Amino acid sequence: MRQGDPWLGAVAAPPVPRPVKPRNYGLTMVIDKGLGVRQTADLLELAAEAIDYIKLAFGTSLLYPAPVLCQKIEMIREHGIHVYPGGTLYELAHVEGRTRAFARSARALGFTVLEVSEGTADLTPDDRLRMIDAAMEAGLKVVTEVGKKDSRVRLEAPQVIEQVAADLAQGSHLVIIEGRDSGQGAGAYDDQGRPRLDLVDEVLRGVDRPEVLMWEAPQGKQQLYWIQRLGPGVNLGNVQPHDVVALEATRCALRGDTMRQALRGLTEVFGGGAKESGGMCRRPS
C-alpha cells in the first residue's frame, strides 16, 4: 500500500506481484533527452517510486551547465534512483583514450552507473573489458548494452547470448538489448518497431537468467508486448518520461489489456510466464 493512498478503502489494484524499491527485477529505465530542473522535479514528485534508472541520453550531459547537471544528479539520487550518462559519451571518451579519466569524472559528478556500449564505436573484447574495469575501479555500478544503432547492422541471437555471458562474468549487473530511443530499425526491433520474434525467442532460450536483461522499449505498444510476454517483472529501458506512470499502470494491471488478463486469472500469460527460479515475477517476501 502506498503511503497516503487517496483511494484507500474504495478500490484496490489487482494482486499483481510488484516489488518495492530497491528491486532487482521489474526495473524501469527512463531516457532523459533534456529535461530542465523543474521538469525533473515534477517527474520525480509524481513517479519516483516507478523509476529505477535515469539515463541522460546520448552525449547530452556534456552540454549541461555544470550547476544544472549537478543539481539534477543530486535530485535524482535523493529519490533512490540510479543516474548515468548515455553510453555514447563513454564510447567517445574511450575513442579519445580517456576511459579512466571519464570514469573518475563521472563518479566525482555524482553519477552512480556507467553504461558500456558500442552502439556507435567498434570495441574489441579487450576494449569492452577495460571500460568495465575502469567503471568498477571508480566505484561505479556497470550496465552493458548489446547492439548497434545502425539499422544496417543486424543483431543476431548468438551474439547476444555470448555477450551477455561475457559481460556478466566481467562484472556487469544488467545487459541492455539495443532498441534506440525510437524503437525502430535497431536491435530487437524491425523498421516498423515490431519485436523481432525469431531473435527474442532464441535469446530467451539461450540466456540462463532472463532477469538480467533489459529490453529498450520506448513505444507503448512495445512495453505492452514485453509485459504480456514476460510478465510485469520484465526490465524495460528508454521509457519516455511522460510514459512512466502509464507503464507502471500496465505493470500493475491497471490498464485494459493487462487488467483483463489479471481479472480472468490468466497467470500463465500475465506474471506467470517467467521461470520461478529467475525471480522475475515472484511476489516479494
Side-chain angles (χ1 to χ4, degrees):
M1 181 64 65
R2 298 183 306 277
Q3 184 178 6
D5 190 335
W7 289 103
L8 181 62
V11 66
V16 175
R18 186 72 178 120
V20 297
K21 292 168 54 175
R23 50 187 160 241
N24 297 316
Y25 60 94
L27 303 171
T28 294
M29 178 264 279
V30 170
I31 183 169
D32 176 348
K33 294 189 281 188
L35 296 180
V37 170
R38 285 170 289 280
Q39 291 173 304
T40 302
D42 286 344
L43 174 65
L44 295 172
E45 180 183 22
L46 182 63
E49 287 304 309
I51 303 170
D52 303 279
Y53 293 82
I54 291 180
K55 173 175 65 178
L56 305 187
F58 330 127
T60 55
S61 62
L62 192 63
L63 304 177
Y64 280 49
V68 173
L69 177 60
C70 293
Q71 186 177 358
K72 279 191 62 168
I73 292 171
E74 183 178 359
M75 290 168 59
I76 293 167
R77 291 187 59 174
E78 284 176 351
H79 286 81
I81 298 170
H82 284 294
V83 57
Y84 63 100
T88 302
L89 197 59
Y90 197 17
E91 291 179 44
L92 178 61
H94 173 76
V95 170
E96 294 176 346
R98 301 175 180 178
T99 300
R100 282 182 164 74
F102 183 89
R104 291 192 297 268
S105 293
R107 175 61 186 270
L109 285 167
F111 288 110
T112 60
V113 174
L114 279 184
E115 177 189 297
V116 176
S117 64
E118 48 187 308
T120 305
D122 293 323
L123 304 179
T124 67
D126 285 345
D127 291 336
R128 199 172 177 99
L129 177 57
R130 279 193 290 271
M131 293 174 75
I132 292 172
D133 284 346
M136 294 176 64
E137 288 171 7
L140 297 167
K141 187 174 181 177
V142 177
V143 300
T144 56
E145 184 179 71
V146 181
K148 291 288 188 182
K149 300 186 185 301
D150 188 339
S151 61
R152 296 169 298 179
V153 182
R154 185 175 174 86
L155 185 63
E156 301 295 344
Q159 172 195 355
V160 176
I161 295 166
E162 181 180 357
Q163 194 65 67
V164 168
D167 288 351
L168 294 177
Q170 292 164 358
S172 178
H173 286 76
L174 194 66
V175 183
I176 300 168
I177 310 299
E178 178 69 71
R180 300 210 66 174
D181 64 307
S182 64
Q184 292 180 285
Y189 304 105
D190 66 17
D191 290 341
Q192 304 302 311
R194 296 171 299 204
R196 292 174 49 209
L197 300 183
D198 55 339
L199 171 74
V200 173
D201 292 344
E202 190 173 346
V203 167
L204 291 175
R205 286 194 301 267
V207 173
D208 292 334
R209 296 170 54 207
E211 70 272 17
V212 303
L213 300 179
M214 173 176 279
W215 303 88
E216 290 189 336
Q219 299 182 21
K221 64 182 180 181
Q222 295 165 347
Q223 296 159 15
L224 179 61
Y225 166 79
W226 291 114
I227 291 172
Q228 290 182 321
R229 175 74 186 268
L230 296 175
V234 65
N235 305 316
L236 297 175
N238 278 7
V239 176
Q240 307 295 332
H242 59 265
D243 286 335
V244 173
V245 176
L247 170 58
E248 190 68 9
T250 306
R251 289 192 190 273
C252 295
L254 291 171
R255 289 189 72 173
D257 295 288
T258 50
M259 182 185 290
R260 186 181 307 115
Q261 293 168 348
L263 294 180
R264 288 177 180 173
L266 299 181
T267 55
E268 183 61 31
V269 177
F270 182 72
K275 299 177 183 178
E276 180 68 15
S277 60
M280 289 181 67
C281 299
R282 289 181 295 178
R283 186 179 299 279
S285 58

